[in-house]
Every structure is written in C-alpha cells, then in structure tokens.
Amino acid sequence: MSKIKIATDSTADIPKDLCEKLNISVLPLTIIHEDNEYRDGIDISKEDFYHILETAQKLPSSSQVKVNMYTRLFTRCREEGYTDLIQVTLNSKGSGTFQAAELAKALFFESHPEAIEKFRIHIIDSKTYSMAYGLPVIEAAQMIDSGANVQEVIDHIEEWLVHSRPLFVPLNLKCVKKSGRISPAAAFVGDVIGLKPLITFEDGEAKIIGKARGEKSAISALIDRCINERKPGTNYVLVYGNNSEAFEQLKRACEKNLEIPPLVEYQVGCVIGINTGPNMIGILYRT
C-alpha cells in the first residue's frame, strides 16, 4: 500500500499552520544579508526581514536549498515508511533549488540502491513562484488525506501548474530595480508618473502584462484579470507585504466581485520580498 509524502521549499510561502495541519515538509532557502545567513522562515521573522528591506543600502540575497537538506529529507521519509515523496520546487530558471533536488536524488539512490524499487522520489519544477505553486501543494496534501494515489496527485499538481497565474503589483519599484531579478519590471520607469506594473510569470520568465495608474486602479486591474481568467469555482489566494491599507482594499474588492473567499491570505515571504519589495499586493489563481 502506498504512503505518500508531499514536500516543497520555503519560497512556496505556505503558512506554517497549514504545513503542520497537512503534513507538508518545507525546506528553507537561505537569506544572506551582510555577514549573516538566515534560514528562510526559521531564523528571521517577516517583520525583521521587512525592516532590512526598507533600510538596507544593499539588498539581501537568497541561496538555493542545499543538497544535504534534500538528502536528509529523503532519508527521513524512507525511514518513516513512505513509498513516494513528491517534491515541488521553486522555478528552475530563477534558482538552483530544482537542480539541487535532482542531484540529491541521484546521490541518495547511489548510496541506497536497495531503496530504488521501494521508495520513489518525484521532483516537479514549478516554473513559478510563491503560492502559485504553494496552492497546488496544499490541494495535493488534501488529496493525499482523501486517499488519492500518487499518479492522481502528480497529475493534479502538473495540470494546475500549467494553468497557474500569479499576479503581483509592486506599489513601489525601489526593490525591484535594486534586485534586477525581475528584469522587465526593473526597467519600468512608471514611479515618476504613478504607474504600477502587473507582473506575472510565464514558463519561468517575468512578464509585465498590464499597467495601472495608482493603487486603486492596480487593485481594479487585479480583480478584472482574475474575473476574466480564473477557472470558475477554483481556489485563489491573496498576497500582501507591509501595506495593510492597500491589502484591505484588495480584500473588499474580492468580497464584492468574486463568488468565493480566498483559500489563504498571506504575507509575502523573504525570497519573493527581495524582488518585489514589501510594499506589494497580489492575487494567485488558475486559469
């Protein structure tokens, strides 16, 4: 009989209480600032992280999940009697986290050839960021609890990711321009006239798909996109940074215009925050 484990990394931004409730394992990326290193979601609070973003002359950086973290996870899952581990990773075009998982898998089975037929490791490159892959991981965990088999769970994740739509609006472009990681937005000069870019990711690449003048128009643009694109009846999530006023406006707009409430509301995590800045809002759904 199959026993399935679902795992991901900290950039999926899944709230800790949900991870604990649904038995989702999360491996941390590393946040590097000056001479200090922090395990994302473990050694640094979001409040402390936002303070660094707002005051630092040089932005923090992030480093991929380490290979030995994966091998420890694989070993633990095998020892706990799991027959299958599904590992969903951060976009391979923006991080070496997926490649580290693949290397760890090869090293694990090299050291444990007897496990090849009894313990299967399925690694999925999300090709996206944040809850755009965190949400299908949550749904996959719920499917496992309901008795779905491993292929059904993998098919659900992969089909969801094909149709995943993350939409972020940085309300201030300072961090975007400093990081340079979201290159189209880094070149965007809308701050001067109050334009806000709507940023998504397609096949792992950042893309500006719209512009709005001011926060209210940006919120309307997010809602309009969601209404026109989201598959009816499917879950969506809301994301925010440290701009509570703009986020409350986004929530009210969702309550008024969308037929169901969001599955999750969450603060953007460290890795995404480095690139979007803390002054941001967003909505993530499937088309």
Side-chain angles (χ1 to χ4, degrees):
M1 183 176 178
S2 295
K3 183 180 179 183
I4 308 167
K5 178 71 170 179
I6 186 80
T8 188
D9 52 67
S10 59
T11 308
D13 284 336
I14 303 173
K16 285 185 179 179
D17 59 340
L18 265 179
C19 290
E20 292 170 0
K21 178 182 177 182
L22 296 171
N23 193 29
I24 300 169
S25 288
V26 178
L27 297 179
L29 275 78
T30 300
I31 305 300
I32 304 164
H33 177 57
E34 296 178 344
D35 295 325
N36 301 308
E37 292 190 359
Y38 309 93
R39 289 171 298 170
D40 184 19
I42 298 173
D43 300 326
I44 186 170
S45 70
K46 288 182 179 178
E47 290 75 19
D48 289 340
F49 172 70
Y50 291 152
H51 177 71
I52 289 173
L53 280 185
E54 291 170 342
T55 59
Q57 292 297 312
K58 182 179 179 181
L59 285 181
S61 60
S62 62
S63 178
Q64 67 195 47
V65 175
K66 295 177 172 59
V67 171
N68 64 357
M69 291 182 181
Y70 280 117
T71 54
R72 286 199 296 268
L73 173 65
F74 299 164
T75 300
R76 185 171 72 251
C77 287
R78 183 193 175 207
E79 290 174 349
E80 292 175 356
Y82 288 98
T83 59
D84 293 89
L85 168 66
I86 303 171
Q87 181 78 41
V88 187
T89 76
L90 169 61
N91 174 26
S92 64
K93 291 186 178 180
S95 168
T97 294
F98 170 76
Q99 290 84 351
E102 290 282 11
L103 175 58
K105 177 180 176 179
L107 293 173
F108 175 82
F109 285 122
E110 184 177 301
S111 299
H112 304 282
E114 75 283 358
I116 292 175
E117 298 300 324
K118 299 177 181 178
F119 178 58
R120 295 167 291 276
I121 300 171
H122 315 270
I123 301 173
I124 299 173
D125 177 6
S126 74
K127 298 183 180 179
T128 189
Y129 295 88
S130 194
M131 285 283 282
Y133 68 100
L135 180 51
V137 167
I138 291 170
E139 293 183 347
Q142 293 169 332
M143 290 176 66
I144 292 169
D145 279 350
S146 297
N149 65 46
V150 67
Q151 195 58 54
E152 289 171 336
V153 176
I154 291 171
D155 288 347
H156 177 78
I157 294 169
E158 292 182 337
E159 196 269 343
W160 209 106
L161 290 172
V162 167
H163 299 282
S164 174
R165 173 67 87 186
L167 277 181
F168 299 100
V169 178
L171 300 175
N172 181 301
L173 297 180
K174 180 176 74 172
C175 286
V176 173
K177 291 178 177 178
K178 276 187 178 181
S179 76
R181 292 288 296 277
I182 305 177
S183 52
F188 193 74
V189 293
D191 268 354
V192 178
I193 56 175
L195 286 178
K196 315 297 181 186
L198 274 70
I199 302 170
T200 192
F201 293 92
E202 295 180 354
D203 196 28
E205 303 288 351
K207 182 179 179 182
I208 294 177
I209 59 172
K211 304 170 187 177
R213 189 183 297 275
E215 290 184 10
K216 288 185 178 180
S217 294
I219 290 168
S220 295
L222 287 174
I223 297 296
D224 288 345
R225 281 271 180 178
C226 186
I227 290 172
N228 292 329
E229 294 182 343
R230 183 172 66 94
K231 183 178 180 179
T234 55
N235 289 317
Y236 66 96
V237 298
L238 300 181
V239 56
Y240 61 100
N242 63 358
N243 189 329
S244 58
E245 183 178 343
F247 182 61
E248 287 301 319
Q249 292 175 12
L250 176 60
K251 282 177 62 177
R252 288 195 294 270
C254 288
E255 291 170 0
K256 181 179 179 181
N257 294 284
L258 301 177
E259 74 279 8
I260 60 173
L263 179 67
V264 178
E265 301 170 4
Y266 72 100
Q267 276 189 303
V268 67
C270 297
V271 176
I272 302 302
I274 289 170
N275 296 291
T276 64
N279 189 5
M280 60 82 70
I281 53 174
I283 186 167
L284 302 95
Y285 52 91
R286 65 149 296 164
T287 58

